[in-house]
């Protein structure tokens, strides 16, 4: 058996485990991200502009969770 054949047979025998999406956490962070962006555009209080960077980061994190991300955090 040559080296490439050996690698392919070993890789076929190892089961691949697909992570389950975290819908509840993803939805939670998506809602917070969208609310953060809305308040960044509509807010008039000091500190509202932090939503311009926090909103997209939370939305990106929720997409990571929807795709089966490994680390899920809840803040309450």
């Amino acid at each position: 058996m040559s080296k490439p054949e050996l690698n392919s047979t070993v890789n076929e025998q190892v089961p691949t485990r697909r992570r389950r999406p975290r819908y509840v956490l993803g939805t939670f962070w998506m809602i917070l991200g969208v609310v953060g962006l809305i308040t960044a555009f509509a807010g008039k209080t000091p500190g509202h502009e932090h939503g311009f960077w926090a909103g997209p980061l939370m939305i990106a994190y929720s997409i990571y969770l929807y795709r089966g991300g490994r680390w899920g955090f809840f803040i309450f």
Side-chain angles (χ1 to χ4, degrees), residues 47-72:
H48 73 278
E49 60 274 350
H50 293 297
F52 287 120
W53 62 267
L57 286 177
M58 287 187 271
I59 291 170
Y61 180 62
S62 70
I63 292 170
Y64 163 77
L65 290 173
Y66 283 138
R67 293 186 177 184
R70 182 173 183 174
W71 306 103

Side-chain angles (χ1 to χ4, degrees), residues 1-74:
M1 220 193 278
S2 68
K3 193 88 163 165
E5 292 174 10
L6 179 63
N7 285 341
S8 67
T9 58
V10 169
N11 289 339
E12 289 172 359
Q13 294 173 356
V14 176
T16 56
R17 183 173 166 223
R18 185 168 175 196
R19 296 196 179 274
R20 291 184 353 187
R22 299 174 184 239
Y23 293 118
V24 174
L25 279 176
T27 304
F28 171 75
W29 287 107
M30 181 66 77
I31 290 170
L32 285 183
V34 170
V35 168
L37 278 177
I38 290 171
T39 57
F41 281 109
K44 297 187 185 310
T45 60
H48 73 278
E49 60 274 350
H50 293 297
F52 287 120
W53 62 267
L57 286 177
M58 287 187 271
I59 291 170
Y61 180 62
S62 70
I63 292 170
Y64 163 77
L65 290 173
Y66 283 138
R67 293 186 177 184
R70 182 173 183 174
W71 306 103
F73 297 102
F74 191 66

